[in-house]
Amino acid sequence: MNKSKLKKLIDKRHRLIPGAAHTYSKGDDQFPANAPKVIIKGAGAYVWDENGKKYLDWCMGLRSVSLGHCYKKVNDAVSRQMKEGTNFGRPHAIEFELADYLIKVLPATQMVKFAKNGSTVTTAAIKLARAHTGRKYIAFCKDHPFFSYDDWFIGTTACDSGVPEEIRKLTLCFRYNDISTLEKLFNDYRNKIACVIMEAATSEPPRDNFLKSVQNLCHANRAVFILDEMITGFRWGLGGAQKYFGIKPDLSTYGKGIANGYSLAVLAGRRDIMELGGIIQKKSPKVFLISTTHGAETISLAAGMATIEEMKNKRVTDHFWKMGKLLQNGLQKLIAKRGIENHVKVFGFPPNLSMGFFDKKGESSALIRTVFLQEIVSRNILFQGYFAVSFSHKRKEISDTLKVFDQALSKLAVAISDDKLEKELIGPTVKGVFQKYN
Ligand SMILES: Cc1ncc(COP(=O)(O)O)c(C=O)c1O
């Protein structure tokens, strides 16, 4: 595309697409003013913006690109599949091939169903749980940021516009590492809760056997235990966080990282629950489970097969842990060196690290975050607060990152101690995605 056409499109982007992006977390309000407006291409751990500027990428397609941009083995599998066709009037053989493969790879999985997005599979898990139990309430972990853009979840956030009150009332919440909050829900809504949905761990590790207690509580109350492995699956190990923590959910949901950025999400779990969406069982009414035109488009399935095989053969998840650990140790040392441990923190497990920014009172600070992100972007790193380490992030990328972060932390430390954060701002502060008004 020529430069003047590109500039015109960028200028009118908010008139073309609401939010000028297809995920709110990619939006202009999520990045500092000096961030690229668009990405033109990617290769390995790098991306290029509208001006041809190259960035080391830590966003990696919202964590979906786990091997690297334009990874050859995956793209070769995709182009082989392209030559055989993308979509047909009956299932393609690759649907069964990938399903069979995943059932062998994923723990606690007797059946799978494919989709294009994570939201589709978490919502499908909720629907199955309601059908299986004949109950309508859902309990989700309030400390975990996102499960779906569908009404059952988004209606619980500040962005509840368009969601009827009746739907919102059916979703209840409990707190991570506080089993009493879930016990209370099961007591207050006795025999009314269909399922519990949560991630295994985000920034905080589970304490006091929390995950096993959730699992036991679900079973004692005959509720379905759904583990959302969108971020942890295919990252903490091929068995995800459930294998790491030794838990056995009834249903699991996967999305990011399965197909190196191609669009593939998976609902996985117990046969007796999954089969409700089948056409063989006769005992229960059929659940109209995921049924979409593009659900099993062959290109993404081929990408999924190739990605998982590469992950297995090259022990890619070990690489995530190793690189993540280097990053975690390096960052903690840098933060301590600048004496700003109260303002900047590194959270999470090595394959899924993130950074938090806090003011003097210990409250999350958009101002500090923005000043820091500005500094990072100006030094050619695309970073939004989390590290989506991929197989293309090697020692060089880690050491380049630590050098840049050292410079940015040094500048931030001075701005904090001189009380000059506001002066450093070159545009509006970044926002959270759940804003009632823009
Ligand atoms: C834990 C978790 N669950 C579900 C989703 C929804 O996935 P998708 O954006 O593919 O609909 C996300 C997306 O960020 C997520 O992080």
Side-chain angles (χ1 to χ4, degrees):
M1 191 186 305
N2 73 43
K3 275 194 175 163
S4 83
K5 182 173 178 194
L6 178 59
K7 188 180 174 320
K8 278 185 196 141
L9 287 173
I10 291 174
D11 287 347
K12 65 176 181 182
R13 64 194 186 281
H14 285 278
R15 286 192 291 119
L16 298 174
I17 296 168
H22 283 85
T23 320
Y24 283 107
S25 58
K26 293 187 185 183
D28 290 347
D29 57 356
Q30 304 295 301
F31 285 89
N34 58 346
K37 298 287 172 285
V38 290
I39 301 297
I40 300 299
K41 64 172 187 178
Y46 297 89
V47 290
W48 284 260
D49 75 2
E50 64 273 22
N51 300 311
K53 189 172 164 188
K54 182 180 174 188
Y55 296 83
L56 170 52
D57 185 14
W58 280 110
C59 301
M60 300 304 286
L62 311 178
R63 300 187 172 98
S64 66
V65 181
S66 49
L67 295 175
H69 296 293
C70 286
Y71 196 85
K72 185 169 181 329
K73 279 215 174 124
V74 178
N75 283 2
D76 287 349
V78 163
S79 53
R80 277 195 302 277
Q81 186 58 49
M82 271 162 63
K83 289 181 192 127
E84 302 198 344
T86 57
N87 212 336
F88 304 94
R90 296 229 63 208
H92 188 278
I94 197 170
E95 294 176 42
F96 305 120
E97 190 186 9
L98 182 60
D100 193 46
Y101 191 60
L102 282 172
I103 288 164
K104 288 179 188 132
V105 169
L106 297 176
T109 297
Q110 294 172 317
M111 293 184 98
V112 293
K113 185 107 191 183
F114 301 132
K116 296 276 121 214
N117 292 291
S119 295
T120 314
V121 288
T122 50
T123 297
I126 300 290
K127 188 175 185 181
L128 272 182
R130 281 175 163 155
H132 176 72
T133 56
R135 303 170 180 178
K136 59 184 180 185
Y137 286 92
I138 299 157
F140 82 102
C141 181
K142 184 76 183 153
D143 299 294
H144 295 165
F146 196 78
F147 291 98
S148 177
Y149 81 93
D150 286 315
D151 292 358
W152 66 267
F153 172 71
I154 225 67
T156 68
T157 71
C159 296
D160 57 0
S161 181
V163 182
E165 170 82 27
E166 292 84 344
I167 303 286
R168 278 189 265 150
K169 281 207 272 206
L170 300 179
T171 305
L172 315 166
C173 58
F174 63 97
R175 306 309 302 251
Y176 194 69
N177 275 335
D178 186 352
I179 199 69
S180 69
T181 59
L182 186 59
E183 284 166 348
K184 182 165 172 10
L185 288 184
F186 276 120
N187 282 333
D188 292 352
Y189 294 82
R190 195 163 289 279
N191 298 330
K192 288 184 181 156
I193 296 179
C195 60
V196 168
I197 182 165
M198 63 185 301
E199 294 186 74
T202 53
S203 50
E204 199 184 328
R207 284 193 300 271
D208 304 329
N209 230 1
F210 180 69
L211 296 173
K212 282 253 168 70
S213 304
V214 171
Q215 178 179 300
N216 294 343
L217 213 44
C218 285
H219 292 164
N221 288 281
R222 288 182 292 109
V224 176
F225 177 31
I226 305 169
L227 197 70
D228 186 346
E229 294 248 34
M230 217 66 64
I231 292 178
T232 48
F234 299 92
R235 194 160 267 282
W236 287 35
L238 287 182
Q242 54 195 269
K243 179 142 190 235
Y244 185 83
F245 291 120
I247 49 172
K248 200 171 172 205
D250 303 306
L251 296 175
S252 307
T253 55
Y254 300 89
K256 301 169 195 277
I258 308 178
N260 200 40
Y262 288 91
S263 178
L264 178 60
V266 178
L267 169 65
R270 262 169 52 187
R271 185 182 313 286
D272 60 322
I273 305 178
M274 295 286 286
E275 244 173 9
L276 293 175
I279 56 171
I280 300 292
Q281 66 87 16
K282 305 275 184 247
K283 285 190 304 232
S284 309
K286 179 174 89 177
V287 172
F288 208 88
L289 201 53
I290 306 160
S291 175
T292 62
T293 302
H294 297 290
E297 153 271 335
T298 60
I299 305 299
S300 301
L301 301 188
M305 283 289 297
T307 303
I308 301 165
E309 270 181 27
E310 186 72 350
M311 288 191 131
K312 223 169 147 181
N313 294 340
K314 303 251 171 88
R315 303 174 70 88
V316 168
T317 57
D318 290 351
H319 175 84
F320 295 158
W321 280 91
K322 209 186 287 168
M323 294 302 112
K325 197 84 205 148
L326 284 177
L327 205 51
Q328 190 178 36
N329 291 340
L331 288 169
Q332 268 153 358
K333 275 191 201 137
L334 295 178
I335 294 165
K337 181 169 106 180
R338 302 293 169 196
I340 47 173
E341 299 96 321
N342 291 339
H343 293 287
V344 184
K345 294 186 199 297
V346 181
F347 294 116
F349 286 73
N352 288 123
L353 293 174
S354 55
M355 285 177 89
F357 302 88
F358 303 91
D359 63 17
K360 281 181 203 143
K361 291 185 197 141
E363 304 288 333
S364 184
S365 168
L367 176 60
I368 298 184
R369 171 181 287 268
T370 310
V371 171
F372 186 72
L373 295 187
Q374 272 175 204
E375 292 301 321
I376 297 295
V377 169
S378 71
R379 292 171 171 82
N380 293 28
I381 293 187
L382 190 59
F383 176 68
Q384 201 186 4
Y386 62 86
F387 296 93
V389 60
S390 81
F391 196 49
S392 298
H393 289 81
K394 309 285 189 197
R395 283 177 188 273
K396 176 190 179 327
E397 281 69 32
I398 304 296
S399 98
D400 289 352
T401 299
L402 291 174
K403 268 184 221 142
V404 162
F405 276 55
D406 191 23
Q407 294 159 7
L409 286 167
S410 149
K411 213 164 162 197
L412 186 69
V414 173
I416 292 173
S417 76
D418 294 354
D419 217 0
K420 283 198 178 132
L421 286 161
E422 301 267 3
K423 275 204 184 135
E424 294 291 339
L425 275 184
I426 55 167
T429 53
V430 295
K431 291 182 177 164
V433 288
F434 300 129
Q435 302 286 328
K436 192 158 192 84
Y437 297 97
N438 292 316

